[in-house]
Amino acid sequence: RPPRSTLSSSSAASDVYKRQYQRRVRGTRPIPMESAGQMESWAMLLLRQRGGLDPECNEKCVESYAAGVHDAMKLVGAAGAVMWFCALAAFPSLHVPLRKYAKPWLLKRVKHGEDVVVAIQTAFNNPVLDAFHNTLALMCGVEFYITFLPFLFWIGEPSLARSLTVFCAAMTYMGNAMKDALCSPRPSDKKVRRESADMQGDSSLSATQEYGFPSTHSVNAVCFTGYLIHYFNRQGAFAGMEFSAPTWWPESWLPPVVLGLLSLWCANICFGRVYLGMHTPIDILGGVTLGWLILFLWITVEDFCDAWITAGYMLLPVYQLFYSVMILYAYPVPEHPNPSFSYSLYLTAACNGVVLGVWRTYPRLHSPEWARALILTRGDLLSVQGLTFVGLRFVVGIPIVLVARQLGKSLGLFVLPRVAKLLKMEGQLEVPGKTVVPSNVLNLNNGARFIAYSFVGWATTDWCFTAFEYLGI
């Protein structure tokens, strides 16, 4: 082997290695490689060696296979990142030492940040702003997602609805899991002004009992805004429309005004969390950073996830159920009870139900062809016909979803205690305001919530459309 100092991208050593590899590939013609870093060429040789590619394959075939290699590398990287995060959350031996070293550092920043919160509240204190930012905060909460996501399915946007359902479940889980892994406190209510009642879902715990870092509202705002911009830019939703924009502005992008409004909405949510005394600047910074990381990860794998959901694999519901239960089981145990886990459970379960509903009905429902036909029937969304169509579906669909949730919850509360007794498992039901189930005891209410919100997702994508067809709407 020549000295290291003489190696280059076209070195003699690299040529030797290439020739040695090509000699092992019998019955194929050597592929010229301009540099040792051409992964596609190596992958092509490997595929030909295994008999999976015609030696006469043209350049288009090579490019297609190279694209497949790149996609596989994306999946491997994304899967590795998710596995690393779940392992960090699942094993106390990993996240407890991280909590031990990170919490004092975060606590110091929270104490300094309380002065910033007090200054902002003093400068901008106004009842109108209180109501405004409280309303905005609801737009990044569980109840909003449970209402908004069915709406997308019902108006004929199945691709966007599926992606947002899985994405919202992922960002909610990751943000809350990091909160409970680090257990960094919120700003002290003895120093800052903060409302005490802020509850979502059917949890008996207030959101003020959650930990502070990172701000999950900031995570959700960044992810939600960023994904909508990405989706509509990629779809070219505003292509061909006339709007005021600089000459260099791509035609397929959102109009600058729409982009600015979405960015302003995101910034207001982040600012509102500080104004309402729920977070300090370090929490917001952590939430924005984590939000961008999750957004980048999701954009990388969204097409693969959607293809997996709509491929019609026989065991897909079993896999999804197993995956949902495992990630919830892997959720870190916080130092004190709080509702963060419940929020993660709601959306993970709803995602499980959506996957089941799409699996049962695709491609008869929720396919691109079905969506195009529905949009033709519906007409322009802002027309009288479109608004009437959407209103009727909303009036019929929401009660069905609420009934499904109650049905699932009742079924869970009836079945799970008996199953736990039969299997001799230590399980306990919550008594709101009186009993907090210990972390080492199976919380049967969580199981009932999982069934209830799985029914919500299933009803949204299956039961409601049966009712729509029957009523002709």
Side-chain angles (χ1 to χ4, degrees):
R1 181 172 181 171
R4 186 177 298 273
S5 60
T6 64
L7 291 175
S8 66
S9 61
S10 59
S11 65
S14 297
D15 294 337
V16 170
Y17 299 149
K18 295 176 205 172
R19 287 195 297 270
Q20 288 176 349
Y21 185 86
Q22 289 170 345
R23 279 198 295 268
R24 294 198 297 270
V25 186
R26 298 179 180 178
T28 64
R29 296 181 300 174
I31 296 178
M33 287 185 263
E34 297 178 357
S35 70
Q38 286 185 318
M39 178 181 66
E40 297 89 348
S41 299
W42 290 95
M44 290 293 296
L45 285 170
L46 181 60
L47 187 64
R48 286 177 176 172
Q49 182 185 25
R50 295 176 176 175
L53 192 64
D54 187 343
E56 301 298 330
C57 181
N58 57 25
E59 289 298 323
K60 185 176 180 180
C61 181
V62 173
E63 292 175 1
S64 298
Y65 182 69
V69 172
H70 290 160
D71 289 345
M73 295 303 293
K74 288 179 182 179
L75 281 177
V76 170
V82 172
M83 289 176 65
W84 173 85
F85 186 89
C86 288
L88 181 66
F91 297 105
S93 58
L94 294 177
H95 68 253
V96 170
L98 178 63
R99 178 189 300 169
K100 177 182 176 182
Y101 290 104
K103 188 175 179 180
W105 184 87
L106 290 170
L107 184 59
K108 183 177 180 181
R109 269 77 192 162
V110 170
K111 292 298 182 184
H112 290 315
E114 288 175 353
D115 296 330
V116 178
V117 176
V118 171
I120 290 175
Q121 290 182 333
T122 303
F124 298 98
N125 185 25
N126 188 293
V128 176
L129 280 180
D130 291 354
F132 173 73
H133 286 298
N134 274 310
T135 303
L136 280 183
L138 293 176
M139 297 178 70
C140 278
V142 172
E143 299 293 354
F144 172 76
Y145 296 140
I146 297 298
T147 305
F148 175 72
L149 294 175
F151 177 78
L152 291 178
F153 280 107
W154 298 339
I155 66 172
E157 293 291 345
S159 177
L160 177 60
R162 286 193 303 268
S163 291
L164 274 179
T165 298
V166 181
F167 187 35
C168 288
M171 68 190 185
T172 302
Y173 178 90
M174 297 180 77
N176 283 298
M178 182 166 286
K179 262 188 180 181
D180 284 349
L182 298 176
C183 295
S184 174
R186 291 190 185 275
S188 172
D189 56 3
K190 295 179 181 179
K191 189 171 183 179
V192 305
R193 176 177 57 85
R194 182 168 67 222
E195 296 183 13
S196 58
D198 185 8
M199 300 183 184
Q200 298 181 49
D202 61 356
S203 173
S204 60
L205 299 172
S206 169
T208 56
Q209 296 174 268
E210 294 178 60
Y211 291 103
F213 182 91
S215 164
T216 46
H217 276 77
S218 300
V219 172
N220 295 351
V222 169
C223 288
F224 202 76
T225 304
Y227 183 74
L228 287 180
I229 293 172
H230 157 76
Y231 180 85
F232 287 117
N233 283 350
R234 189 177 69 166
Q235 296 293 322
F238 289 81
M241 295 180 62
E242 294 185 3
F243 53 82
S244 178
T247 54
W248 50 266
W249 195 266
E251 185 180 353
S252 63
W253 279 21
L254 290 173
V257 173
V258 177
L259 188 63
L261 289 174
L262 285 172
S263 302
L264 184 62
W265 175 79
C266 177
N268 266 293
I269 286 179
C270 295
F271 173 79
R273 302 314 288 166
V274 177
Y275 173 80
L276 295 172
M278 301 297 286
H279 291 285
T280 55
I282 188 64
D283 302 332
I284 304 300
L285 179 61
V288 170
T289 303
L290 181 61
W292 278 112
L293 290 174
I294 298 173
L295 177 63
F296 175 78
L297 177 66
W298 177 246
I299 288 174
T300 302
V301 302
E302 61 169 324
D303 291 334
F304 305 108
C305 291
D306 196 60
W308 171 256
I309 293 171
T310 58
Y313 295 117
M314 182 181 298
L315 297 178
L316 177 62
V318 177
Y319 164 82
Q320 184 63 32
L321 176 62
F322 175 79
Y323 173 76
S324 300
V325 172
M326 287 304 298
I327 63 171
L328 291 173
Y329 179 78
Y331 191 90
V333 178
E335 293 178 347
H336 303 290
N338 68 83
S340 294
F341 174 76
S342 296
Y343 302 157
S344 302
L345 184 148
Y346 298 149
L347 286 171
T348 300
C351 180
N352 180 68
V354 164
V355 170
L356 173 61
V358 172
W359 174 79
R360 274 182 36 83
T361 58
Y362 193 92
R364 183 177 63 86
L365 301 174
H366 310 302
S367 64
E369 296 77 17
W370 169 84
R372 285 192 289 269
L374 181 64
I375 291 173
L376 287 176
T377 303
R378 182 198 73 195
D380 186 2
L381 192 60
L382 298 180
S383 66
V384 174
Q385 178 184 347
L387 291 174
T388 303
F389 178 90
V390 171
L392 287 173
R393 289 201 161 195
F394 196 80
V395 169
V396 172
I398 288 298
I400 294 175
V401 169
L402 295 176
V403 168
R405 181 172 68 174
Q406 187 58 45
L407 178 63
K409 184 177 180 180
S410 300
L411 179 65
L413 292 175
F414 176 79
V415 171
L416 292 178
R418 289 162 176 78
V419 172
K421 184 178 180 180
L422 180 65
L423 299 177
K424 297 181 179 180
M425 300 172 65
E426 188 178 3
Q428 184 177 333
L429 290 171
E430 296 175 359
V431 178
K434 297 181 180 180
T435 304
V436 176
V437 178
S439 60
N440 61 341
V441 176
L442 186 64
N443 188 330
L444 298 179
N445 285 81
N446 284 335
R449 291 180 184 121
F450 183 86
I451 296 174
Y453 281 87
S454 292
F455 271 45
V456 166
W458 186 13
T460 296
T461 51
D462 191 351
W463 304 4
C464 288
F465 286 97
T466 302
F468 297 157
E469 291 175 1
Y470 179 78
L471 296 173
I473 58 175

